[in-house]
């Protein structure tokens, strides 16, 4: 059935709707997705070392635990030295991609950020540098790219205007978010977009819009994970996204974007003990263990009960190694660029 649905290069909205809503098609869907993933990436799983720079954020997204209005959040920033020492430890553990992620924190000006990026670039010429610092000006993105960044993760969160307004305060706009993504792409970054599954007010139509937007953008990476309520946000009482729907969306993404880099996210691992393993089996091919210093791990709390906040980087690394192996895949120590990537000019 899934086979038939995917015969045509492009699925119509009705077919997508059917796949999104029908649990009976899951096994076949995951199986097909795994086939496509193996054809393009074998059983390789890429690892990215996640360094959470700062939990200060000027934004106030209703779903996010580090939103500006959350007075309960204990705020921190990493220094350049701390960041470099995370990279050093990460490199020893076999990481060849560093992801510098943080809230939108004015402290990390272009000057400070470029200094950090160029130092990492200089010390680790064989590593990819991924940034995930939210919305910045085109000039800023360009400067960071010139300083040595290769990739940028910026989830669009939802491609529907009305739904975007349900998740964000007035000061934020989907148009601006999309503009950032197109700017990043034009500059030459390998771009990652994505959305939460099961966020408040999300409809099947919204999910289809997300897929259509991704088809337009053609990102190298697509990150999705279940929405998980955080106790100190306006969405504290909302229902979280489910494992089933998230896995289904991972599989659909794999079929629609055969070469995309799709992580089995920490959020997925948070809602189910084998969430990430199941994500891999449904078509994901990236995992992003935490490299942040232990004393700040618990503070970067976007949602409740986030996993891997008590472990050291090395523990996380070997834990994931086992998990990936048990799922039938293996971690590889490569930069893990998107298939067909010709190198940064
Ligand atoms: N549940 C799940 N994911 C969340 N994110 C932020 N808050 C939550 C939450 N409560 C995701 C957003 C953001 C990424 C860094 O984390 O999609 O882009
Ligand atoms: Fe972090 Fe298992 S992956 S402890």
């Amino acid at each position: 059935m899934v086979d038939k649905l995917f015969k045509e290069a492009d699925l119509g909205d009705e077919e997508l709707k059917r796949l999104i809503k029908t649990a009976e098609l899951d096994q076949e869907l995951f199986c097909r997705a795994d086939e496509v993933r193996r054809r393009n990436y074998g059983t390789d799983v890429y690892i990215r070392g996640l360094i959470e720079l700062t939990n200060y954020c000027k934004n106030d997204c209703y779903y996010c635990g580090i939103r500006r209005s959350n007075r309960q959040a204990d705020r921190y920033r990493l220094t350049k030295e701390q960041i470099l020492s995370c990279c050093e430890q990460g490199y020893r553990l076999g990481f060849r991609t560093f992801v510098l992620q943080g809230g939108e924190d004015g402290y990390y000006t272009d000057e400070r950020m470029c200094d950090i990026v160029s130092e990492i670039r200089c010390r680790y010429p064989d590593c990819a540098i991924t940034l995930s610092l939210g919305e910045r000006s085109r000039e800023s993105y360009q400067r960071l790219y010139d300083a040595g960044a290769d990739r940028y993760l910026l989830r669009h969160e939802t491609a529907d205007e009305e739904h975007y307004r349900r998740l964000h305060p007035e000061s934020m706009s989907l148009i601006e978010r999309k503009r950032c993504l197109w700017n990043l792409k034009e500059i030459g970054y390998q771009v990652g977009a994505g959305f939460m599954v099961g966020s408040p007010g999300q409809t099947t139509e919204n999910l289809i819009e997300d897929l259509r937007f991704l088809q337009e953008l053609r990102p190298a990476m697509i990150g999705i994970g279940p929405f998980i309520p955080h106790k100190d946000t306006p969405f504290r009482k909302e229902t979280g996204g489910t494992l089933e729907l998230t896995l289904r969306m991972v599989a659909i993404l794999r079929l629609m974007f055969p070469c995309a880099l799709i992580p089995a996210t920490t959020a997925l691992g948070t809602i189910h003990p084998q969430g990430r393993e199941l994500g891999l089996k449904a078509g994901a091919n990236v995992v992003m263990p935490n490299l942040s210093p232990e004393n700040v791990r618990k503070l970067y709390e976007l949602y409740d009960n986030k996993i891997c906040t008590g472990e050291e980087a090395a523990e996380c690394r070997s834990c994931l190694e086992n998990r990936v192996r048990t799922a039938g895949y293996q971690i590889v120590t490569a930069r893990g660029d998107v298939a067909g990537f010709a190198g940064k000019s």
Side-chain angles (χ1 to χ4, degrees):
M1 185 64 222
V2 174
D3 231 47
K4 213 171 116 222
L5 284 174
F6 270 93
K7 271 274 148 39
E8 301 132 67
D10 188 11
L11 274 184
D13 288 3
E14 283 312 308
E15 287 84 3
L16 280 175
K17 201 165 172 174
R18 181 124 183 265
L19 281 176
I20 294 173
K21 290 175 90 96
T22 323
E24 289 70 38
L25 294 174
D26 280 354
Q27 284 325 307
E28 207 185 329
L29 176 66
F30 300 162
C31 190
R32 276 284 312 229
D34 188 53
E35 255 173 54
V36 172
R37 165 260 173 60
R38 280 172 198 261
R39 202 177 309 139
N40 291 289
Y41 287 103
T43 52
D44 291 357
V45 172
Y46 300 113
I47 45 171
R48 321 296 196 198
L50 185 62
I51 306 172
E52 295 151 339
L53 300 195
T54 171
N55 68 354
Y56 281 87
C57 190
K58 70 173 171 64
N59 291 331
D60 223 7
C61 309
Y62 302 140
Y63 46 83
C64 184
I66 65 168
R67 63 199 300 270
R68 180 183 67 209
S69 301
N70 180 9
R71 297 277 123 72
Q72 306 303 317
D74 193 356
R75 308 284 172 173
Y76 76 90
R77 288 188 178 108
L78 299 185
T79 62
K80 179 181 175 188
E81 288 64 40
Q82 283 177 303
I83 297 165
L84 289 169
S85 111
C86 290
C87 293
E88 195 182 319
Q89 194 184 11
Y91 194 88
R92 264 189 274 118
L93 292 171
F95 290 96
R96 294 298 175 266
T97 293
F98 303 120
V99 181
L100 309 187
Q101 184 174 83
E104 292 192 20
D105 179 358
Y107 175 85
Y108 294 91
T109 56
D110 291 349
E111 224 123 69
R112 288 204 173 101
M113 232 22 253
C114 285
D115 178 49
I116 294 166
V117 168
S118 53
E119 187 64 34
I120 300 174
R121 173 52 58 241
C122 169
R123 291 194 192 184
Y124 306 100
D126 57 333
C127 292
I129 303 172
T130 304
L131 300 178
S132 180
L133 304 168
E135 297 181 5
R136 299 173 80 100
S137 67
R138 185 181 174 125
E139 293 65 43
S140 171
Y141 288 149
Q142 182 71 56
R143 287 179 69 181
L144 293 164
Y145 185 78
D146 295 340
D150 307 274
R151 310 182 186 141
Y152 205 101
L153 306 179
L154 180 67
R155 290 191 182 173
H156 63 282
E157 312 296 359
T158 174
D160 180 83
E161 283 284 355
E162 200 183 316
H163 190 221
Y164 195 91
R165 284 197 298 276
R166 169 91 211 271
L167 303 179
H168 304 93
E170 290 249 339
S171 52
M172 295 177 72
S173 90
L174 178 60
I175 294 185
E176 189 49 38
R177 181 60 57 114
K178 287 184 174 173
R179 182 162 30 235
C180 286
L181 284 163
W182 287 112
N183 281 341
L184 289 161
K185 220 179 155 180
E186 274 171 32
I187 290 168
Y189 282 95
Q190 293 175 59
V191 171
F195 53 90
M196 288 178 290
V197 175
S199 58
Q202 184 179 63
T203 61
T204 303
E205 285 68 32
N206 293 156
L207 287 170
I208 294 172
E209 270 183 89
D210 286 322
L211 298 172
R212 296 298 176 217
F213 170 65
L214 292 168
Q215 279 183 316
E216 223 186 297
L217 182 70
R218 298 198 293 117
M221 290 93 66
I222 304 172
I224 68 166
F227 158 70
I228 305 173
H230 183 287
K231 60 184 186 319
D232 302 313
T233 64
F235 286 169
R236 68 181 66 88
K237 297 232 166 70
E238 300 288 342
T239 320
T242 63
L243 175 76
E244 291 69 27
L245 185 56
T246 309
L247 294 176
R248 210 173 285 157
M249 293 311 297
V250 166
I252 293 173
L253 286 172
R254 172 56 65 211
L255 293 177
M256 290 178 78
F257 305 91
C259 291
L261 294 155
I262 302 176
T265 54
T266 306
L268 195 51
T270 297
I271 60 164
H272 187 280
Q274 266 81 51
R276 287 169 298 177
E277 291 88 326
L278 292 166
L280 294 172
K281 290 186 184 180
N285 63 337
V286 172
V287 287
M288 300 173 71
N290 205 310
L291 274 183
S292 308
E294 278 142 77
N295 60 325
V296 304
R297 292 246 185 131
K298 282 197 170 43
L299 306 179
Y300 198 81
E301 197 191 43
L302 307 182
Y303 45 81
D304 287 340
N305 306 317
K306 191 175 152 200
I307 53 166
C308 302
T309 56
E311 285 77 5
E312 283 179 26
E315 284 173 323
C316 244
R317 169 75 170 80
S318 64
C319 168
L320 264 182
E321 179 100 45
N322 289 328
R323 288 171 181 269
V324 169
R325 191 169 347 100
T326 315
Y329 308 94
Q330 86 273 337
I331 284 183
V332 294
T333 317
R335 267 177 54 124
D337 289 294
V338 69
F341 178 70
K344 195 173 163 181
S345 52

